[in-house]
């Protein structure tokens, strides 16, 4: 017998290894038991129009076949897809996952089952995987060709232009015409070819992944997106069509939607023979009857549509799969059908947990190949560093993409990959010159320095849900298959660097000298002093170094940039720099004195007079007394902050200048934060002196000076503290203003910020993630915008005057749920945890009380936005997110700088919140110093200079560096001690972990260990009780 020819499978065509399927089950669940017995072959038609054959046992349920297809494609988010087939009456029905396949498909040899999209989410950015979005794009392409997705000529041409971009790349008139002649995307395509090419010309540099994202962005706004019409008649006998979507049940006349019944309004769905019944919740404002009745062609048609409605409601509205009803003992009444599989929330949670492998895939129709993961699996040593490793020769292109939740970095060796079809990555990281090349997942955010150097030609917005990004890590591959470095096109939130290795993983940071041996540590501990007061003095020195660097951001970097641009009035220049230069000069000398004292204390100089130099109180007293002369400059900082913000408000040129300066690598915090640093530093001195006085006995030689220094600095803090509180609120309002769009007058006298954070808002489309901002007079709710700047779009606001609040978990069946009732509107929100709900409840109630005690309602907040007067039952999400179709074209244009690493965005991704009290605590809990860092699976410890501020750890090679190499936002992280099973046999080690991300940090002494634990705990756990804001003392600007 001759050899059997091996036919390529769908998995191999998509670039997957054999038997490398990814389970779509939750962690801990087992796949359904495959019944033994005779195998039967089922033909499956994929979305790319190819057919595959799957052999399953005769008695296997539908879930076995569905999981086999998903595993074959390495599809993680397979729950959005379903299998449909023609039944014995030639009616297309969905495969029931609980029933045996052979009881549904009677003649499998003559039936082709189609693998298609079943559930269309309200926002395509909820699709975390690039492969999932690619399959959705194929579904849109298929619906266009079949006439199911109808739209006007402009929208059709725009959709096809994105399909063409993903298949053949950048515009070329000759190639475009040939491609359109060979490929018919819609009937009568010839009339639209010129318009298609006109749109295609605007997509230069857009990758296939970006094209898929833009295609879905346009398609989701169309009325017929994801709609399957089911013919019916109303009570008057008028012919209509029924359809089901994520929002509820829709009624169409032809292809025009004439009515919609949101899930929140629907009380019960049922069918009786050919009659489909919708029982609505009672509503005094509605003209609809309590029960609506529609007549369908047959009982089978009616039951089929009822099943689809039940599945859509369960998938989009429930938190988990509904449990089966107990079987009746005597007789059953009604259908036993129920939804089987994970709900959308379970799918999102599973992908967020990162419990799956990233695999590459190849696009069948595209000459430009997309890869879900171009390099090895995460290495043992650096599972979560900010960038991938590699030297200049090996890294042909490096691209980082952060969304939400994941930061991925990829490198690719140009010398080894000349074919467009890239092989799956090996399991182990590839070593290059001692460094390990690895894919990287979230958390350490790369520093912003490369964003300026690598300004992309075509920008793409970064939107979406908590994890993943619409623009996954991938190289721009040219038609020859090699990485196109010169014309690499990335989205603004990507940080490519094709010519320079990552700072975190460069030879500099991986130098053997950075990994200190244990015996070296022992020698160092024995050589240096061990008393607690020494480490307190050392903390003064380490934090003073950081403070001096922060002053240099203004006195050196900002002043140098201002001198080159004629954008700032001379009066403002003089006001800023005449106040900061004396401070910088004084603290330069102060730091030298502290460092000299530490040298003497450590015995590293010729002066060996033991008692005189093992103290710090005298140095602090002398300098704090001298510092009093600088109070005149410190009092000007309030004026400086307000004048700078007024200048930015009145001058577009100054606004652009300051915005661009914030993108520079040295400006690792918002610019106006640096203006508050001198006042913050006074509080640090006070805290250190308090600890020192508490440590010393009254008889100690240093106690008297320390107590005198504490009295002096306490007096200065008391004089300036009220001013500082006002400035912090003023600064926070202006910072939030940069993150919000769609509002006019956020910063007004008397307004105080209280809390911001992520909550779920209940609407007709179910629970939708929204960002809420609570002030002392109003509550705003927003969503992540589809702009390159990642700003949040304001959708509505609720004045607090006259508002009431009540828990409503039982009413809506949603955990941690609150109903907020204003004078003109009400909304229902849900927190992620009970603790989050308690924080919001406490702060909102406090704000309501303050508003009630004030003179009356707050002024209108959104002068340019209409008020949102919708009830929780109404569909608000459609109106909240709808824009013109042209938005998909303009969204590629960079409108303002990327703001993806602010506290607001971290709260959005981590689904948490912070209050003004938390910000104030964070100001008091700042720390700098050397730490040894270790990753979860690495062996060595890496020495880094770490600055903790603003809820974030910033990593430097040394304290002399001008800018951080990477950052790690800590909101949402847990701070613990390593357990015995983790085999961390070292002293002074603490552990930071968030889901699957784990870091170990090692301090040099018990005191520094306790200090790091103290300050980090302030960021990882919010303040338990907010201090009440006084309505009698509003912040006046």
């Amino acid at each position: 017998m001759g050899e059997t020819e091996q036919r390529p499978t769908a998995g191999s065509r998509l670039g997957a290894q054999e038997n490398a399927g990814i389970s779509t089950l939750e962690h801990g669940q087992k796949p359904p038991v495959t019944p033994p017995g005779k195998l039967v072959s089922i033909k499956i038609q994929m979305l790319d129009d190819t057919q595959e054959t799957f052999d399953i046992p005769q008695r296997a349920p539908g879930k076995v076949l569905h999981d086999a297809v998903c595993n074959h494609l390495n599809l993680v988010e397979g729950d959005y897809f379903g299998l449909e087939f023609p039944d014995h009456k030639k009616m297309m029905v969905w495969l029931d996952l609980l029933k045996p396949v052979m009881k549904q498909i009677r003649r499998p040899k003559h039936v082709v089952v189609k693998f298609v999209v079943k559930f269309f989410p309200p926002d395509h950015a909820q699709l975390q995987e690039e492969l999932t979005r690619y399959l959705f794009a194929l579904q849109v392409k298929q619906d266009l060709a079949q006439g199911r997705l109808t739209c006007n000529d402009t929208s059709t041409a725009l959709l096809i232009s994105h399909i063409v971009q993903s298949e053949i790349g950048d515009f070329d008139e000759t190639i475009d015409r040939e491609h359109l002649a060979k490929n018919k995307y819609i009937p009568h395509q010839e009339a639209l070819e010129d318009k298609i090419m006109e749109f295609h010309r605007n997509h230069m540099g857009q990758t296939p992944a970006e094209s898929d994202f833009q295609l879905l962005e346009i398609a989701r706004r169309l009325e017929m997106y994801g709609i399957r019409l089911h013919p019916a008649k109303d009570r008057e006998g008028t012919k209509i069509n029924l359809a089901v979507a994520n929002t509820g049940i829709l009624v169409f006349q032809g292809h025009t939607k004439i009515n919609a019944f949101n899930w929140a309004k629907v009380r019960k769905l049922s069918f009786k023979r050919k009659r489909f019944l919708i029982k609505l919740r009672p509503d005094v404002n509605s003209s609809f009857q309590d029960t609506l009745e529609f007549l369908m062609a047959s009982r089978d048609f009616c039951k089929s549509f009822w099943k689809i409605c039940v599945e859509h409601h369960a998938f989009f509205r429930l938190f988990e799969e509904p449990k089966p009803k107990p079987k009746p003992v005597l007789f059953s009444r009604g259908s036993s059908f129920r939804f089987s599989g994970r709900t959308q929330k379970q799918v999102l949670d599973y992908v967020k947990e990162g419990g799956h492998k990233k695999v590459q895939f190849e696009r069948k129709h595209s000459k430009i190949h997309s890869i879900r993961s171009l390099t090895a699996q995460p290495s043992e040593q650096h599972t979560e560093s900010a960038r991938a490793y590699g030297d200049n020769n090996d890294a042909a292109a490096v691209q980082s993409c952060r969304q939400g939740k994941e930061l991925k970095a990829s490198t690719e060796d140009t010398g080894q990959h000349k074919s467009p079809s890239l092989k799956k990555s090996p399991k182990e990281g590839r070593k290059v010159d001692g460094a390990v090349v690895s894919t990287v997942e979230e958390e350490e955010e790369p520093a912003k320095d490369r964003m300026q150097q690598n300004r992309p030609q075509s920008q793409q917005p970064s939107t979406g849900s908590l994890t993943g990004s619409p623009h996954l890590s991938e190289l721009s591959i040219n038609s020859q298959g090699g990485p196109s470095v010169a014309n690499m096109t990335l989205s603004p939130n990507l940080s490519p660097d094709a010519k320079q290795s990552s700072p975190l993983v460069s030879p500099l940071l991986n130098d053997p000298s950075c990994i200190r041996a244990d015996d070296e540590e022992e020698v160092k501990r024995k050589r240096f002093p061990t008393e607690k007061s020494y480490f307190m003095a050392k903390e003064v020195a380490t934090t003073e170094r950081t403070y001096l660097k922060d002053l240099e951001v203004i006195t050196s970097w900002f002043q140098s940039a201002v001198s080159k641009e004629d954008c700032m009035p001379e009066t403002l220049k003089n006001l800023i720099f005449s106040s900061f230069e004396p401070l910088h000069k004084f603290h330069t000398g102060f730091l030298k004195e502290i460092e000299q004292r530490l040298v003497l204390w450590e015995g590293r100089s010729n002066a060996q007079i033991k008692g005189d130099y093992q103290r710090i109180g005298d140095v602090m007293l002398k300098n704090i007394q001298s510092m009093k002369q600088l109070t005149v400059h410190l009092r000007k900082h309030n004026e400086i902050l307000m004048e700078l913000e007024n200048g930015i408000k009145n001058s577009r040129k100054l606004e652009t200048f300051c915005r661009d300066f914030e993108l520079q690598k040295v400006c690792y915090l918002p610019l106006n934060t640096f203006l508050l640093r001198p006042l913050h530093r006074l509080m640090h001195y006070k805290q250190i002196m308090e600890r020192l006085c508490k440590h010393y006995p009254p008889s100690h030689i240093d106690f008297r000076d320390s107590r005198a220094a504490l009295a002096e600095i306490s007096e200065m803090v008391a004089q300036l503290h009220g001013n500082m509180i006002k400035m912090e609120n003023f600064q926070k309002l202006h910072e939030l203003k940069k993150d919000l769009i769609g509002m006019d007058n956020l910063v007004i006298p008397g307004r105080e910020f209280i809390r911001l954070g992520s909550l779920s808002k209940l609407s007709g489309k179910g629970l939708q993630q929204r960002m809420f901002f609570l002030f002392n007079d109003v509550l705003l709710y927003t969503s992540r915008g589809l702009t390159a700047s990642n700003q949040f779009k304001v959708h509505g606001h609720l004045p607090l005057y006259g508002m009431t609040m009540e828990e409503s978990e039982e009413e809506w069946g949603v955990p941690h749920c609150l109903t907020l009732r204003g004078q003109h509107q009400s909304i229902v929100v849900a927190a992620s945890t009970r603790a989050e709900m308690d924080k919001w409840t406490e702060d909102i109630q406090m704000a309501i009380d303050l508003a009630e005690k004030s003179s009356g309602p707050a002024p209108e907040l959104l002068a340019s936005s209409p008020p949102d007067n919708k009830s929780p039952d109404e569909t608000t999400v459609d109106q909240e997110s709808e824009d013109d179709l042209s938005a998909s074209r303009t969204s590629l244009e960079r409108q303002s700088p990327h703001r993806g690493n602010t506290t607001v965005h971290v709260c959005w991704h981590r689904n948490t919140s912070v209050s003004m009290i938390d910000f104030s605590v964070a100001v008091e809990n700042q720390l700098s110093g050397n730490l040894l860092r270790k990753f979860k699976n690495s062996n060595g410890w890496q020495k880094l200079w770490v600055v903790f501020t603003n809820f974030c750890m910033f990593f430097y090679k040394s304290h002399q560096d001008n800018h951080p190499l990477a950052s790690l936002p800590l909101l949402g992280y847990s701070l613990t001690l390593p357990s015995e099973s983790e085999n961390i046999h070292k002293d002074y080690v603490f552990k930071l972990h968030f889901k699957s991300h784990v870091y170990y940090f090692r301090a040099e002494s018990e005191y520094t260990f306790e200090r790091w634990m103290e300050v980090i705990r302030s960021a990882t756990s919010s303040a338990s009780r907010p201090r009440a804001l006084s309505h009698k003392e509003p912040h006046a600007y």
Side-chain angles (χ1 to χ4, degrees):
M1 294 178 65
E3 292 184 0
T4 304
E5 182 182 355
Q6 292 188 347
R7 157 170 84 84
T9 66
S12 62
R13 188 177 64 257
L14 293 176
Q17 290 182 344
E18 292 300 323
N19 301 320
I22 307 301
S23 173
T24 59
L25 299 172
E26 297 287 349
H27 292 297
Q29 283 189 343
K30 295 181 179 179
V33 178
T34 304
K38 184 179 178 182
L39 297 179
V40 61
S41 297
I42 306 291
K43 287 180 285 188
I44 306 291
Q45 181 170 323
M46 303 295 182
L47 280 164
D48 59 4
D49 296 329
T50 59
Q51 284 190 12
E52 301 294 335
T53 302
F54 293 86
D55 296 326
I56 61 170
Q58 274 188 329
R59 290 183 289 168
K63 185 167 180 56
V64 171
L65 179 59
H66 183 270
D67 284 353
V69 177
C70 293
N71 293 346
H72 194 64
L73 298 176
N74 287 285
L75 181 60
V76 177
E77 299 170 298
D79 303 80
Y80 289 102
F81 300 83
L83 298 168
E84 66 171 359
F85 64 95
D87 65 1
H88 62 285
K89 295 183 179 179
K90 303 301 180 183
M91 181 177 71
M92 296 300 291
V93 294
W94 293 103
L95 186 73
D96 191 325
L97 300 184
L98 297 178
K99 290 184 178 180
V101 175
M102 295 308 297
K103 285 191 176 181
Q104 303 178 68
I105 306 176
R106 303 293 175 85
R107 302 173 66 189
K109 290 184 179 179
H110 301 88
V111 173
V112 176
V113 180
K114 293 184 177 181
F115 180 75
V116 294
V117 177
K118 186 174 185 179
F119 300 110
F120 291 80
D123 187 353
H124 58 290
Q126 293 175 338
L127 305 174
Q128 313 299 327
E129 292 282 301
E130 181 184 341
L131 173 59
T132 312
R133 289 191 293 273
Y134 168 59
L135 295 176
F136 265 71
L138 290 179
Q139 182 69 65
V140 170
K141 177 181 173 182
Q142 195 176 97
D143 290 349
L144 271 176
Q146 295 173 358
R148 188 178 289 159
L149 180 60
T150 58
C151 53
N152 59 40
D153 288 350
T154 301
S155 300
T156 302
L158 191 55
L159 289 168
I160 296 175
S161 69
H162 284 294
I163 297 174
V164 172
Q165 174 70 21
S166 69
E167 292 183 353
I168 66 173
D170 289 343
F171 174 79
D172 182 288
E173 186 170 354
T174 304
I175 297 175
D176 272 36
R177 292 199 182 277
E178 291 177 359
H179 185 78
L180 291 173
K182 294 177 182 177
N183 298 272
K184 298 299 179 185
Y185 298 104
I186 56 169
H188 313 295
Q189 178 178 290
E190 296 78 9
L192 292 178
E193 285 188 0
D194 290 339
K195 189 171 285 188
I196 293 169
M197 289 193 293
E198 179 185 346
F199 286 133
H200 186 203
R201 192 191 304 270
N202 298 328
H203 305 329
M204 293 291 287
Q206 195 167 283
T207 64
E210 293 168 342
S211 297
D212 289 344
F213 185 79
Q214 288 299 315
L215 176 74
L216 297 176
E217 170 62 25
I218 301 162
R220 78 180 182 94
R221 303 173 187 278
L222 302 175
E223 201 164 62
M224 296 301 294
Y225 174 63
I227 296 299
R228 296 195 173 203
L229 299 177
H230 300 259
K233 293 180 181 179
D234 62 12
R235 282 186 173 179
E236 286 74 32
T238 306
K239 289 184 178 181
I240 57 169
N241 289 304
L242 296 180
V244 62
N246 55 76
T247 56
I249 299 171
L250 311 178
V251 183
F252 286 82
Q253 202 156 37
H255 287 81
T256 303
K257 185 170 69 174
I258 60 173
N259 216 333
F261 303 102
N262 299 324
W263 294 127
K265 292 182 178 180
V266 176
R267 182 179 170 191
K268 183 180 179 181
L269 294 174
S270 60
F271 70 96
K272 292 181 181 179
R273 298 183 179 87
K274 296 192 295 183
R275 291 181 299 149
F276 180 74
L277 305 173
I278 305 176
K279 193 167 187 178
L280 301 176
R281 296 182 186 274
D283 186 357
V284 295
N285 298 321
S286 175
S287 59
F288 291 119
Q289 301 176 14
D290 178 55
T291 303
L292 300 172
E293 182 179 312
F294 299 94
L295 192 67
M296 306 196 81
S298 67
R299 180 186 182 277
D300 289 342
F301 271 106
C302 196
K303 184 176 182 180
S304 175
F305 182 65
W306 173 80
K307 284 183 175 182
I308 298 170
C309 293
V310 170
E311 290 178 318
H312 273 73
H313 177 270
F315 184 77
F316 289 108
R317 296 282 287 184
L318 300 186
F319 283 90
E320 58 185 19
E321 178 183 354
K323 296 178 181 179
K325 296 178 181 179
K327 292 185 178 180
V329 179
L330 297 177
F331 59 91
S332 62
R333 183 180 179 184
S335 174
S336 62
F337 175 78
R338 66 179 177 89
F339 170 73
S340 173
R342 295 183 298 190
T343 64
Q344 187 190 28
K345 183 181 185 303
Q346 290 176 310
V347 176
L348 292 174
D349 289 344
Y350 172 72
V351 181
K352 290 171 194 173
E353 292 292 339
H356 58 277
K357 300 176 183 177
K358 300 291 182 183
V359 294
Q360 64 189 40
F361 71 92
E362 179 183 336
R363 297 163 183 266
K364 182 193 173 201
H365 301 287
S366 179
K367 298 178 183 177
I368 305 174
H369 300 269
S370 288
I371 300 96
R372 246 199 283 189
S373 179
L374 291 175
T375 56
Q377 298 297 330
S379 69
E380 291 188 356
Q381 184 171 355
H382 293 100
T383 11
E384 291 178 297
S385 59
R387 297 186 187 266
Y389 299 5
D391 61 11
N392 295 347
N393 296 325
D394 275 65
V398 177
Q399 211 168 337
S400 299
C401 178
R402 178 185 178 121
Q403 162 66 19
K405 244 13 240 148
E406 288 187 354
L407 173 70
K408 304 173 187 172
S410 305
T411 59
E412 191 61 42
D413 189 330
T414 56
Q416 295 180 1
H417 303 279
K418 295 183 179 179
S419 170
S421 211
L422 301 181
K423 297 182 179 179
K424 188 174 181 179
S425 308
K427 292 183 180 179
E428 296 296 327
R430 167 169 63 91
K431 291 198 174 183
V432 182
D433 292 344
V436 182
V437 180
S438 66
T439 54
V440 183
E441 301 209 352
E442 184 220 28
E443 288 307 335
E444 289 186 18
E445 176 94 5
K448 296 182 285 187
D449 52 310
R450 302 220 180 103
M451 200 177 294
Q452 282 292 92
Q453 301 170 11
N454 300 277
R455 191 68 68 92
Q457 295 176 357
S458 173
Q459 278 78 17
Q460 185 79 1
S462 176
T463 64
S465 54
L466 209 54
T467 184
S469 168
H471 320 293
L472 301 180
S473 301
E474 66 178 277
L475 295 175
S476 247
I477 307 295
N478 59 22
S479 57
Q480 283 73 35
S484 176
V485 178
N487 296 316
M488 185 179 296
T489 303
L490 306 174
S491 58
N493 58 331
L494 306 182
S495 301
D497 191 357
K499 299 181 180 179
Q500 184 179 353
S501 59
S502 162
L504 257 191
V505 295
S506 64
L508 181 68
L509 277 187
N510 286 297
D511 192 279
S513 63
C514 295
I515 313 293
R516 182 177 287 104
D518 295 335
D519 54 350
E520 272 189 78
E521 285 297 308
E522 291 303 318
V523 171
K524 185 171 186 278
R525 288 199 184 105
K526 290 176 182 177
R527 187 171 72 240
F528 289 118
T530 57
E531 58 263 36
K532 192 174 181 179
S533 55
Y534 163 76
F535 291 106
M536 290 183 183
K538 194 170 182 180
E539 181 183 336
V540 177
T542 56
T543 52
E544 191 72 12
R545 288 170 183 164
T546 300
Y547 173 53
L548 204 58
K549 286 289 183 183
D550 288 347
L551 289 179
E552 288 174 1
V553 172
I554 301 297
T555 60
S556 178
W557 298 94
F558 188 62
Q559 186 172 14
S560 174
V562 167
S563 64
K564 297 175 183 177
E565 298 283 344
D566 184 21
C567 60
M568 184 180 289
E570 287 297 324
T571 54
L572 183 56
K573 284 184 190 178
N574 295 333
L575 180 62
I576 295 175
F577 303 122
S578 64
S579 296
F580 274 83
E581 284 174 350
L583 293 174
H584 181 266
K585 182 179 179 181
F586 172 80
H587 285 280
T588 302
F590 183 22
L591 178 60
K592 287 181 181 178
E593 280 194 52
I594 298 172
E595 290 177 335
Q596 287 170 1
R597 175 57 57 90
L598 287 175
V599 169
L600 295 173
W601 199 330
E602 293 163 1
R604 287 185 284 150
S605 73
N606 295 327
Q608 297 294 335
I609 307 175
K610 190 170 179 179
D612 292 342
Y613 295 109
Q614 293 189 344
R615 54 180 177 153
I616 194 65
D618 57 333
V619 176
M620 296 298 294
L621 177 59
K622 172 193 168 186
N623 284 277
I624 289 173
Q625 288 174 339
S626 301
M627 207 181 298
K628 281 192 166 184
Q629 301 173 7
L630 300 174
T631 306
V632 61
H633 299 296
L634 296 175
R635 292 187 184 278
K636 290 182 181 179
H637 288 194
N638 187 11
E639 182 185 357
I640 291 172
L641 188 60
M642 288 194 293
E643 289 299 322
L644 179 60
E645 292 298 343
N646 287 335
I648 291 173
K649 181 180 179 181
N650 298 325
S651 170
R652 181 62 61 86
K653 191 174 181 181
L654 180 58
E655 179 187 9
T656 304
F657 169 78
C658 292
R659 185 184 65 194
D660 291 342
F661 180 78
E662 284 191 331
L663 288 176
Q664 291 190 24
K665 49 193 175 183
V666 296
C667 194
Y668 66 100
L669 295 172
L671 177 61
N672 51 20
T673 302
F674 291 103
L675 300 178
L676 296 178
R677 276 295 190 249
L679 295 178
H680 295 164
R681 187 59 179 156
L682 296 181
M683 298 178 64
H684 302 158
Y685 293 142
K686 181 173 180 283
Q687 288 179 333
I688 292 174
M689 296 315 299
E690 285 174 344
R691 286 194 295 271
L692 202 59
C693 290
K694 188 176 180 180
H695 168 69
Y696 283 144
S699 59
H700 195 278
I701 187 175
D702 202 27
F703 179 76
R704 192 170 183 178
D705 288 338
S706 298
R707 189 171 61 177
L710 175 59
E712 296 280 359
I713 193 65
S714 298
E715 183 183 350
M716 290 184 66
V717 170
Q719 292 175 358
L720 297 169
H721 187 259
N723 198 34
M724 185 181 70
I725 294 297
K726 294 178 182 179
M727 290 175 64
E728 283 180 354
N729 183 73
F730 182 76
Q731 183 265 337
K732 186 54 58 183
L733 290 177
H734 276 281
E735 189 59 27
L736 293 177
K737 185 179 177 181
K738 297 176 186 176
D739 280 311
L740 299 175
I741 54 175
M743 58 194 316
D744 290 340
N745 54 340
L746 177 65
V747 185
I748 61 173
R751 175 162 291 147
E752 298 177 2
F753 164 70
I754 298 177
R755 180 174 290 276
L756 66 85
S758 173
L759 293 172
S760 296
K761 178 175 175 287
L762 186 62
S763 69
K765 291 190 175 182
L767 289 173
Q768 300 288 319
Q769 186 183 8
R770 293 289 178 261
M771 199 70 185
F772 281 75
F773 299 84
L774 176 65
F775 302 92
N776 63 337
D777 59 341
V778 71
L779 176 67
L780 304 180
Y781 56 92
T782 69
S783 69
R784 182 87 171 264
L786 293 174
T787 64
S789 60
N790 282 332
Q791 291 170 291
F792 288 83
K793 179 181 178 182
V794 178
H795 293 311
H797 67 284
L798 281 79
L800 298 182
Y801 186 80
M803 179 187 286
T804 60
M805 175 178 57
E806 61 186 39
E807 293 189 20
S808 51
E809 293 186 15
E810 294 183 2
E811 179 182 355
W812 297 102
V814 177
H816 322 307
C817 183
L818 291 173
T819 299
L820 304 175
R821 304 186 188 280
Q823 292 183 336
H824 304 291
Q825 64 182 111
S826 300
I827 62 171
V828 179
V829 297
S832 57
T833 63
R834 184 73 199 184
E836 277 293 305
M837 177 184 171
D838 291 342
K839 293 175 190 175
W840 279 102
T841 302
E842 189 173 15
D843 281 355
I844 292 174
Q845 188 59 57
M846 178 189 69
I848 291 174
D849 294 342
L850 291 177
E852 291 296 330
K853 294 175 183 177
S854 66
S855 56
E860 184 68 19
L861 180 72
L862 308 177
S864 62
S865 303
D868 184 356
N869 297 321
K870 296 189 173 156
S871 69
D873 291 346
E874 293 178 309
T875 307
T876 59
V877 183
D878 283 342
Q879 285 76 10
E880 289 177 5
S881 61
E882 288 296 326
D883 291 310
D884 295 331
L885 285 175
S886 59
S888 62
R889 297 192 294 273
T890 59
S891 63
L892 292 176
E893 300 170 7
R894 185 164 189 160
Q895 298 167 1
S896 58
H898 169 62
R899 296 181 58 80
N901 194 26
T902 64
T903 305
V904 179
H905 287 82
V906 175
C907 287
W908 172 267
H909 292 304
R910 306 276 171 81
N911 208 18
T912 186
S913 68
V914 291
S915 67
M916 190 62 195
I917 308 305
D918 298 326
F919 282 108
S920 298
V921 171
V923 165
E924 299 171 4
N925 289 280
Q926 298 182 17
L927 195 59
S928 307
N930 286 313
L931 286 176
L932 298 179
R933 184 186 62 180
K934 179 183 180 299
F935 293 98
K936 183 166 53 176
N937 298 316
S938 63
N939 295 321
W941 294 83
Q942 188 179 22
K943 183 180 178 182
L944 293 171
W945 176 263
V946 182
V947 174
F948 175 80
T949 184
N950 217 36
F951 308 107
C952 192
M953 296 177 82
F954 295 91
F955 301 102
Y956 299 75
K957 170 59 183 163
S958 77
H959 68 85
Q960 297 173 334
D961 291 353
N962 291 321
H963 58 87
L965 303 174
S967 64
L968 179 64
L970 294 186
L971 288 173
Y973 265 75
S974 296
L975 175 66
T976 58
L977 299 178
S979 62
E980 288 292 330
S981 61
E982 293 172 278
N983 296 319
I984 307 294
H985 304 300
K986 302 291 180 185
D987 295 330
Y988 316 130
V989 176
F990 59 90
K991 172 184 174 183
L992 284 169
H993 58 100
F994 176 76
K995 295 186 177 177
S996 61
H997 310 292
V998 179
Y999 301 93
Y1000 301 98
F1001 292 94
R1002 185 175 164 198
E1004 63 177 345
S1005 69
E1006 182 180 0
Y1007 172 79
T1008 52
F1009 167 76
E1010 290 173 351
R1011 284 290 294 136
W1012 279 107
M1013 291 282 286
E1014 178 185 350
V1015 299
I1016 292 175
R1017 192 177 288 115
S1018 70
T1020 55
S1021 58
S1022 299
S1024 57
R1025 292 284 303 179
R1027 67 183 177 220
L1029 296 174
S1030 173
H1031 65 279
K1032 296 179 181 178
E1033 299 178 1
H1035 296 156
Y1037 308 134

